[in-house]
């Protein structure tokens, strides 16, 4: 399989957690359950939705885990790290959809090819959507508006994603649902983190609360980082349980995080 073909597919489950954290589980946070329900509704309605929020709160994990259950065979992903042109977008779609042969050389022919491929049910995940330009949004709207296509679009992104989509009235008016992923509240942290990784199963809830208050602040990626350092520390010190000294050592690696 080509690199482009792999990029168009859902990532493997081992990619869900930061740095492929061993022993970590996908846990049913409130955000994940809401993402799953919004995606289910979007697929049923063949709609556009937007899932957004600051980095590290579990957007991609929630979307990927939900789509593995709901639509694994028809999901395709695209992602850009810089402003793409519509030509870039066409080529990325061509490869993400796994279309055969070489990309057409003329825009009209290219559009006809993509519309034809989208006549069968497809779910398109546009990750880091804040990088898309106005022309790219217009092109995606053009494909979605076509009466012959059967397309669900899930826009996901971090800082600036909501503002970018809201600034495009023709697109914003078509978005079926908006979901912001917030940090986990402390009561959820105390329920979720012990189920997230075995290292926390027997941990004192007061230590978990201290860690969240002083370092993690409900950010799932921060919790994954701390867990990485903590498992390494347990191994190095031959300890079997988490104590305050070891925990403070683990999250000191993160530097200071604002709540």
């Amino acid at each position: 399989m080509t690199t482009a073909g792999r990029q168009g597919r859902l990532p493997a489950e081992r990619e869900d957690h930061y740095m492929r954290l061993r022993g970590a589980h996908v846990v049913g946070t409130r955000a994940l359950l809401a993402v799953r329900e919004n995606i289910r509704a979007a697929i049923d309605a063949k709609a556009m939705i937007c899932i957004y929020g600051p980095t590290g709160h579990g957007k991609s994990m929630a979307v990927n885990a939900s789509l593995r259950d709901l639509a694994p065979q028809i999901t395709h992903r695209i992602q850009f790290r810089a402003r793409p042109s519509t030509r870039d977008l066409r080529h990325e779609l061509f490869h993400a959809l796994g279309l055969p042969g070489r990309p057409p050389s003329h825009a009209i022919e290219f559009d006809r090819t993509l519309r034809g491929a989208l006549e069968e049910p497809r779910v398109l995940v546009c990750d880091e959507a804040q990088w898309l330009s106005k022309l790219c949004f217009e092109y995606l709207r053009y494909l979605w508006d076509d009466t012959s296509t059967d397309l669900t679009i899930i826009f996901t992104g971090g800082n600036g994603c909501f503002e970018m989509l809201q600034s495009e009235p023709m697109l914003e008016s078509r978005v079926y649902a908006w979901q912001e992923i917030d940090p986990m509240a402390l009561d959820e942290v105390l329920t979720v983190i012990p189920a997230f990784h075995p290292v926390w199963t027997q941990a004192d809830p007061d230590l978990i609360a201290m860690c969240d208050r002083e370092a993690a602040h409900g950010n799932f990626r921060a919790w994954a980082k701390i867990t990485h350092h903590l498992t390494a520390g347990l191994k190095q010190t031959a300890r079997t349980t988490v104590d305050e000294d070891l925990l403070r050592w683990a999250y000191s690696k993160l530097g200071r995080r604002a709540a």
Side-chain angles (χ1 to χ4, degrees):
M1 183 183 295
T2 66
T3 300
R6 287 195 300 271
Q7 290 175 345
R9 299 169 67 92
L10 283 170
E13 289 184 50
R14 66 178 181 274
E15 306 291 344
D16 280 341
H17 300 284
Y18 179 76
M19 292 182 65
R20 300 183 180 181
L21 177 61
R22 285 192 174 188
H25 305 290
V26 174
V27 286
T29 63
R30 295 166 192 159
L32 187 147
L33 296 176
V35 165
R36 182 184 176 88
E37 182 54 37
N38 280 328
I39 288 177
R40 185 195 301 277
I43 293 172
D44 288 344
K46 301 178 178 59
M48 294 184 187
I49 63 172
C50 178
I51 298 168
Y52 64 98
T55 186
H57 289 169
K59 298 180 299 295
S60 296
M61 180 175 68
V63 170
N64 293 338
S66 297
L67 285 169
R68 284 195 204 99
D69 288 338
L70 297 172
Q73 300 303 317
I74 62 171
T75 295
H76 309 272
R77 299 176 73 253
I78 60 172
Q79 183 180 40
F80 295 97
R81 296 293 184 182
R83 296 284 182 205
S85 65
T86 51
R87 179 183 183 279
D88 297 328
L89 179 57
R90 286 187 178 98
H91 280 262
E92 190 71 10
L93 287 169
F94 184 90
H95 293 297
L97 293 170
L99 301 183
R102 296 174 61 85
S105 55
H106 299 290
I108 293 177
E109 181 185 358
F110 214 144
D111 294 348
R112 187 181 301 116
T113 298
L114 291 175
R115 291 200 311 271
L118 295 172
E119 288 179 0
E120 58 185 85
R122 307 271 193 173
V123 177
L124 179 65
V125 180
C126 298
D127 202 6
E128 303 296 345
Q130 67 270 14
W131 286 108
L132 295 176
S133 66
K134 177 180 175 66
L135 290 176
C136 286
F137 283 128
E138 285 295 309
Y139 188 71
L140 290 170
R141 181 178 66 81
Y142 155 75
L143 293 175
W144 183 81
D145 275 346
D146 192 302
T147 57
S148 65
T149 61
D150 189 343
L151 179 61
T152 299
I153 300 180
I154 302 168
F155 294 107
T156 71
N159 295 334
C161 180
F162 174 82
E163 292 79 6
M164 177 62 74
L165 268 70
Q166 286 276 324
S167 71
E168 301 296 336
M170 296 293 285
L171 185 70
E172 185 274 338
S173 68
R174 288 163 169 77
V175 174
Y176 183 65
W178 303 82
Q179 182 183 348
E180 182 174 10
I181 306 297
D182 295 315
M184 292 182 291
L186 180 58
D187 67 319
E188 185 170 24
V189 167
L190 292 172
T191 301
V192 164
I193 295 305
F196 168 58
H197 194 279
V199 76
W200 301 108
T201 303
Q202 301 301 323
D204 186 333
D206 288 341
L207 287 180
I208 295 176
M210 179 191 75
C211 182
D212 193 65
R213 183 175 61 253
E214 297 185 2
H217 309 303
N219 183 289
F220 227 115
R221 188 173 300 165
W223 273 107
K225 291 179 184 179
I226 293 166
T227 306
H228 261 286
H229 291 302
L230 193 57
T231 53
L234 287 168
K235 183 177 180 180
Q236 292 166 12
T237 61
R239 302 185 197 188
T240 57
T241 57
V242 178
D243 59 36
E244 183 174 342
D245 288 341
L246 187 61
L247 183 54
R248 287 187 181 278
W249 169 85
Y251 66 67
S252 71
K253 305 285 188 180
L254 273 62
R256 293 186 178 274
R257 286 186 62 88

